Amino acid sequence: MGIIRSMRSRSHRVVQEQEECVGDSMRQSCWANMPQELLREVLLRIEASEDTWPPRKSVVACAGVCRSWRQITKDIVKTPELSSKITFPISVKQPGPRENLLRCFIKRNRSTQTYYLFLSLTNTLAEDGKFLLAARKCRRPTCTDYIISLDADDMSKGSNSYVGKLRSNFLGTKFTIYDSQPPHSGARIMKSRSTRLVNLKQVSPKVPTGNYPVAHISYELNVLGSRGPRRMHCVMDSIPATAIEAGGVAPTQTEFSLNNIDMFPSFPFFRSKSNRVENTLSGPLVDQKDGMLVLKNKSPRWHEQLQCWCLNFHGRVTIASVKNFQLVASAENGPAGPEHDKIILQFGKVGKDLFTMDYRYPISAFQAFAMCLSSFDTKIACE
């Protein structure tokens, strides 16, 4: 344990000294000369012992020491799907765990129209948590945009921290989620003025930064004024319907494009000489014959005694709100199976400006956050 503590403190010190990072290449330091077997054993113990935040920042620090440390750390640290942990920034673009819901919460700032996503660190509903993403609401004459960023202090489209956006129609009944980089190798970029603005900062044409539509959300119009919660329908353009089945696979981004690496000057983990599209993605391209994954509201029940619609959030939601929802997979082309009963995303109110957000495979934290942001918009025609 003494060796491990020493290694942790030294890794932090080396990361702070930026002599190791020159341009797009890193000089191999004395730390790279450690025997590979010993280094792997040390990093395995650090990864296993620092399994929660904030101690988990030691794992991130180790990835920033030098190239050999980075490669071994990449091999050791598993994606959220396998580990149920969020470690590196790219984790917010990767599907959540298969077996359980990953617990998060959202804080809303009404005065600035900003929203902040945090990873829950304990079972309590009100806490600081580990910051993951931020979003800023921007009203347009014909639509509304929610700009999503990795930086809570920089939520602009031209920023290197820009990871995507949510755009609504004029009525706030239809939304599109755009990713800043392709979710799979066959993704098509959506050309727009905002795309051109982002591309001004483009570093490599191999992975164009822009707007790639990854999901479409629609809220059913309540023309009869019937009582009940909003009815939500989500088509996940980049995720095949088979992803929820045993052995099913969803596309997984493995690293950020070159446009984003300037956000992490101290962590060479995010630098790579080759950031081609095929190197930053894994998983299948959605085949038309397989169909896209469709998510729908889990049907609530009317509680006569409470005189309200009820869903079982297992203690994660404490305040009744029309914004609250649970999403499950819709059986579009066949009978529903047990996989269609699993909650993939749930969102609900626990305070005036505090909401819980729990998600699982095959959607990512970024996609889940964007879907929850759509619930904040006022929808007179749907209620």
Side-chain angles (χ1 to χ4, degrees):
M1 287 301 295
I3 294 177
I4 294 176
R5 290 196 198 96
S6 175
M7 296 295 290
R8 281 191 204 131
S9 61
R10 289 176 182 175
S11 65
H12 280 293
R13 188 170 67 251
V14 173
V15 169
Q16 291 171 1
E17 299 171 355
Q18 298 191 12
E19 292 87 9
E20 295 298 326
C21 197
V22 180
D24 287 335
S25 62
M26 291 176 297
R27 294 174 182 169
Q28 293 294 309
S29 67
C30 58
W31 301 105
N33 297 324
M34 285 186 63
Q36 294 292 300
E37 296 78 8
L38 175 60
L39 176 58
R40 177 173 288 274
E41 180 64 25
V42 170
L43 294 179
L44 277 170
R45 294 191 181 189
I46 293 176
E47 201 280 334
S49 62
E50 312 291 21
D51 60 344
T52 59
W53 288 91
R56 196 157 180 79
K57 64 184 179 182
S58 298
V59 179
V60 180
C62 288
V65 173
C66 64
R67 186 179 294 111
S68 59
W69 285 50
R70 177 191 67 180
Q71 189 57 51
I72 294 178
T73 305
K74 285 177 66 177
D75 294 339
I76 291 174
V77 176
K78 304 302 180 184
T79 62
E81 173 191 354
L82 301 175
S83 66
S84 297
K85 300 172 187 175
I86 290 181
T87 305
F88 301 107
I90 192 61
S91 300
V92 300
K93 291 287 192 77
Q94 298 173 336
R98 287 182 181 266
E99 302 302 324
N100 59 280
L101 290 166
L102 200 56
R103 293 185 169 188
C104 306
F105 62 93
I106 297 173
K107 286 185 177 181
R108 173 177 60 182
N109 187 321
R110 292 173 183 261
S111 61
T112 59
Q113 294 190 315
T114 51
Y115 305 82
Y116 303 91
L117 176 66
F118 296 86
L119 176 68
S120 296
L121 302 182
T122 67
N123 291 326
T124 59
L125 296 178
E127 55 174 323
D128 290 333
K130 169 70 176 73
F131 171 78
L132 299 178
L133 291 167
R136 177 172 57 89
K137 186 176 182 179
C138 303
R139 293 186 181 276
R140 314 290 186 196
T142 59
C143 64
T144 299
D145 282 350
Y146 290 83
I147 308 302
I148 304 175
S149 171
L150 287 165
D151 189 342
D153 299 317
D154 188 358
M155 289 174 273
S156 60
K157 292 178 185 176
S159 168
N160 285 322
S161 60
Y162 171 76
V163 294
K165 71 177 181 181
L166 174 74
R167 168 164 288 184
S168 76
N169 64 356
F170 179 74
L171 294 176
T173 56
K174 295 183 183 296
F175 297 80
T176 303
I177 301 174
Y178 294 97
D179 199 325
S180 63
Q181 62 185 48
H184 51 70
S185 57
R188 295 183 178 180
I189 192 170
M190 182 67 68
K191 292 295 182 180
S192 66
R193 181 177 180 274
S194 60
T195 301
R196 293 192 295 271
L197 287 174
V198 173
N199 281 342
L200 291 176
K201 289 199 172 185
Q202 187 171 312
V203 178
S204 171
K206 295 175 182 177
V207 185
T209 297
N211 294 319
Y212 296 86
V214 294
H216 289 81
I217 307 166
S218 61
Y219 287 84
E220 186 177 319
L221 294 175
N222 189 1
V223 294
L224 299 178
S226 57
R227 301 169 69 187
R230 297 168 178 167
R231 293 175 182 172
M232 192 174 177
H233 188 264
C234 303
V235 179
M236 310 304 296
D237 299 5
S238 61
I239 303 177
T242 55
I244 63 170
E245 300 173 0
V249 179
T252 303
Q253 297 184 24
T254 56
E255 56 187 15
F256 283 110
S257 63
L258 288 174
N259 301 58
N260 301 93
I261 60 173
D262 291 337
M263 295 184 304
F264 317 107
S266 300
F267 299 113
F269 178 88
F270 300 100
R271 295 185 178 269
S272 175
K273 290 183 179 179
S274 176
N275 270 56
R276 297 178 184 270
V277 173
E278 56 267 27
N279 290 340
T280 60
L281 307 165
S282 65
L285 175 66
V286 176
D287 193 331
Q288 290 297 326
K289 63 184 179 182
D290 290 337
M292 302 172 185
L293 176 66
V294 177
L295 304 179
K296 66 174 184 178
N297 287 83
K298 186 173 183 179
S299 300
R301 62 181 180 85
W302 178 255
H303 197 293
E304 288 293 341
Q305 187 175 2
L306 298 177
Q307 288 294 295
C308 66
W309 294 94
C310 293
L311 285 168
N312 185 3
F313 286 92
H314 301 283
R316 290 286 290 163
V317 176
T318 58
I319 299 176
S321 172
V322 71
K323 295 179 176 63
N324 301 349
F325 66 80
Q326 290 178 325
L327 294 183
V328 295
S330 175
E332 295 292 296
N333 301 312
E339 65 272 12
H340 294 93
D341 293 328
K342 285 186 177 181
I343 296 171
I344 294 177
L345 172 62
Q346 69 176 19
F347 171 76
K349 192 172 186 178
V350 294
K352 182 180 179 181
D353 294 300
L354 186 63
F355 303 80
T356 55
M357 185 199 90
D358 306 333
Y359 74 100
R360 67 163 8 118
Y361 194 91
I363 66 172
S364 65
F366 162 71
Q367 293 166 337
F369 185 41
M371 284 188 270
C372 292
L373 289 174
S374 73
S375 187
F376 284 105
D377 253 17
T378 302
K379 302 170 183 61
I380 299 175
C382 303
E383 299 167 3

